[in-house]
């Protein structure tokens, strides 16, 4: 029996999971090297199991840690994985694994069966089935009239699985040639729109109560570190502009530098509003008095909005009414989550940039 099936047998039977560092017991799964499941047999925590996440086999340590956080929220679970240096699983993967481990489900799509398991699964498997047919003449007579049913996959694919990877490369090459052969609107007009695109713009609130302002947004988006606002130590740049550098293979070079402003008085041309990709607000409507759309209900239908708040703080009702995204940050010294928060924010911003034609050209 492999380690993950041994673990499932223990979790269903409420047997204790014990950790060992060498020959000594330990309570820390991070420091432990082995684990036992209610008996003397020990399994290496670094052993790769038959549980797959994103087509990669996962170590026993990650599987056990997921089970230990069966009742935890996905945020608490991911934070715990980050603290202990253990790979984390997405919500649906985590839910299916823990459901299978507690016995509520008889199968898990992420646990794959070894080819040799039919012969060594402890019940005889295929070998016993063949032996029984040979020994039982009645079974042999029945087998003469047996017809194999055809399942959905066999009907579509035939008797052999076909690898279409070679066709994928041909399709990509064909698509690339098609794009080159069809001139774009910008090329017809004698100019390349991608090359002429100007840096995108983010607008933040000038309010002193804003958690994210010109004074600390560069630290936040570039260094993944949230600096709590302090009027005595933090100063707004005199130029009224901050440049955020963010290189990404998904984005065109023009999007690798993003301008951040808190005053739209400098928007002297309509094209400036075409470059706006996000607006950060504190929930105060006066911020939008000089904007292209002064009504927040209309503004945030045209531009993505963001509201930064501390964990557990109550979000103003108008933020929900305005269709604004909420970004949660921690108070005090709890800065270990900043990287995860900024990473998720950049994923959101990159999707916005690509939708605004700032994606990398193939």
């Amino acid at each position: 029996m492999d380690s993950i099936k041994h673990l499932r047998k223990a979790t269903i039977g409420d047997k204790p999971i014990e950790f060992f560092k060498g020959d000594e017991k330990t309570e820390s799964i991070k420091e432990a090297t082995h684990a036992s499941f209610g008996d003397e047999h020990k399994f290496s925590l670094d052993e790769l199991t038959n549980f797959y996440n994103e087509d990669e086999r996962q170590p026993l340590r990650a599987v056990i840690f997921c089970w230990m956080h069966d009742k935890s929220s996905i945020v608490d679970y991911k934070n715990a994985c980050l603290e202990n240096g253990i790979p984390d699983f997405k919500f649906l993967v985590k839910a299916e694994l823990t459901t299978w481990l507690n016995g509520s489900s008889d199968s898990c799509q992420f646990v794959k069966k070894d080819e040799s398991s039919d012969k060594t699964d402890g019940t005889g498997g295929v070998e016993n089935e063949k032996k029984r047919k040979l020994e039982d003449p009645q079974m042999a007579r029945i087998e003469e009239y047996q017809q194999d049913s055809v399942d959905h996959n066999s009907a579509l694919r035939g008797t052999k699985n076909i690898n279409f990877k070679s066709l994928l490369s041909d399709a990509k090459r064909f698509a690339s040639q098609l794009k080159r052969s069809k001139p774009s609107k910008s090329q017809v007009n004698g100019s390349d729109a991608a090359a002429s695109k100007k840096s995108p713009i983010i607008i933040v609130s000038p309010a002193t109560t804003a958690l994210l302002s010109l004074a600390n947004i560069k630290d936040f988006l570039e260094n993944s570190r949230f600096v709590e606002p302090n009027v005595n130590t933090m100063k707004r740049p005199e130029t009224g502009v901050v440049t955020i550098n963010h290189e990404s293979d998904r984005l065109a070079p023009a999007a690798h530098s993003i301008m951040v402003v808190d005053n739209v008085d400098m928007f002297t041309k309509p094209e400036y509003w075409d470059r706006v990709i996000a607006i950060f607000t504190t929930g105060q409507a006066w911020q939008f008095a000089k904007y292209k759309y002064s009504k927040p209900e209309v503004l945030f239908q045209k531009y993505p909005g963001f509201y930064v708040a501390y964990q557990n703080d109550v979000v103003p009702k108008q933020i929900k009414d305005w269709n604004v995204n909420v970004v949660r940050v921690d108070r005090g010294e709890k800065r270990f989550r900043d990287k995860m928060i900024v990473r998720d924010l950049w994923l959101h911003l990159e999707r916005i940039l690509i939708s605004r034609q700032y994606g990398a050209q193939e």
Side-chain angles (χ1 to χ4, degrees):
M1 184 182 295
D2 57 34
S3 58
I4 194 170
K5 288 185 179 178
H6 205 94
L7 171 63
R8 183 172 186 259
K9 185 178 179 182
T11 54
I12 293 176
D14 290 328
K15 295 180 180 179
I17 300 175
E18 297 179 319
F19 300 114
F20 297 86
K21 185 177 182 181
D23 294 328
E24 297 183 0
K25 287 186 179 182
T26 177
E27 297 295 327
S28 171
I29 189 173
K30 183 179 181 180
E31 297 177 356
T33 57
H34 292 76
S36 68
F37 312 126
D39 54 29
E40 295 181 356
H41 188 84
K42 296 179 182 177
F43 294 92
S44 171
L45 289 172
D46 295 323
E47 171 188 335
L48 294 178
T49 67
N50 290 336
F51 179 77
Y52 285 73
N53 182 40
E54 297 180 351
D55 295 328
E56 291 187 5
R57 296 177 68 183
Q58 298 301 309
L60 181 60
R61 190 189 309 272
V63 175
I64 295 176
F65 197 71
C66 181
W67 167 252
M68 292 168 61
H69 288 78
D70 178 25
K71 305 300 181 184
S72 302
S73 69
I74 191 65
V75 175
D76 292 340
Y77 163 65
K78 286 182 176 289
N79 288 341
C81 288
L82 190 65
E83 290 180 31
N84 289 276
I86 295 175
D88 63 87
F89 308 140
K90 293 180 179 178
F91 174 76
L92 292 179
V93 179
K94 174 180 180 291
E96 182 150 346
L97 174 61
T98 52
T99 301
W100 180 72
L101 286 175
N102 66 26
S104 299
S105 174
D106 293 331
S107 63
C108 176
Q109 63 173 312
F110 303 106
V111 177
K112 299 184 180 179
K113 195 175 183 180
D114 287 339
E115 293 180 358
S116 60
S117 61
D118 285 336
K119 298 180 181 179
T120 60
D121 63 359
T123 62
V126 176
E127 294 299 326
N128 279 355
E129 182 68 19
K130 290 180 179 178
K131 185 177 180 181
R132 187 170 65 254
K133 287 180 179 179
L134 291 172
E135 292 177 352
D136 188 345
Q138 181 68 13
M139 287 294 295
R141 286 194 297 272
I142 294 173
E143 189 178 15
E144 292 178 4
Y145 301 97
Q146 178 178 325
Q147 292 184 354
D148 293 330
S149 62
V150 179
D151 62 16
H152 176 78
N153 289 334
S154 299
L156 291 177
R157 298 180 180 176
T159 56
K160 294 182 179 179
N161 287 331
I162 302 174
N163 191 331
F164 292 99
K165 286 185 178 179
S166 59
L167 296 180
L168 287 175
S169 60
D170 292 341
K172 288 180 180 179
R173 184 167 60 253
F174 176 74
S176 178
Q177 292 172 351
L178 191 63
K179 286 181 180 179
R180 287 197 296 268
S181 64
K182 184 178 180 180
S184 65
K185 184 177 179 181
S186 61
Q187 291 172 333
V188 171
N189 293 334
S191 64
D192 190 337
S196 63
K197 262 192 173 299
K198 296 181 181 179
S199 297
I201 298 173
I202 292 176
I203 305 175
V204 296
S205 172
T208 55
T209 56
L211 293 187
L212 204 62
S213 65
L214 284 187
N216 62 354
I217 193 169
K218 190 175 182 69
D219 251 333
F220 189 59
L221 292 183
E222 276 194 13
N223 304 324
S224 299
R225 184 170 66 94
F226 176 70
V227 179
E228 297 197 42
N230 187 322
V231 293
N232 297 321
T233 59
M234 294 170 56
K235 293 184 178 180
R236 175 183 181 274
E238 294 182 1
T239 58
V241 179
V242 170
T243 302
I244 304 296
N245 297 309
H246 176 72
E247 293 190 6
S248 172
D249 294 336
R250 300 176 63 197
L251 303 178
H256 292 177
S257 294
I258 301 175
M259 294 173 55
V260 184
V261 300
D262 63 358
N263 188 341
V264 297
D265 288 345
M266 61 181 70
F267 284 24
T268 55
K269 299 178 181 178
E271 67 181 41
Y272 285 110
W273 284 105
D274 296 336
R275 293 159 55 186
V276 173
I277 61 162
I279 298 173
F280 284 80
T281 180
T282 57
Q284 297 167 308
W286 60 260
Q287 176 185 345
F288 319 120
K290 296 182 180 180
Y291 282 21
K292 183 177 181 179
Y293 303 98
S294 58
K295 293 183 178 180
E297 296 85 357
V298 178
L299 178 71
F300 292 116
Q301 293 296 327
K302 307 290 184 181
Y303 303 97
F306 294 88
Y307 174 81
V308 181
Y310 284 122
Q311 291 287 352
N312 302 321
D313 276 6
V314 177
V315 176
K317 181 180 180 299
Q318 65 267 30
I319 293 299
K320 298 177 182 178
D321 295 339
W322 293 348
N323 190 31
V324 170
N325 301 282
V326 178
V327 178
R328 296 279 187 179
V329 294
D330 292 296
R331 294 179 184 272
E333 301 300 323
K334 294 182 179 180
R335 303 270 64 86
F336 64 89
R337 290 186 66 252
D338 287 354
K339 287 187 177 180
M340 183 176 66
I341 295 167
V342 175
R343 180 195 63 189
D344 291 344
L345 178 56
W346 270 120
L347 288 174
H348 195 159
L349 292 174
E350 285 185 4
R351 286 195 295 268
I352 296 170
L353 285 162
I354 292 172
S355 70
R356 299 294 178 93
Q357 310 303 317
Y358 280 99
Q361 301 295 314
E362 295 184 359

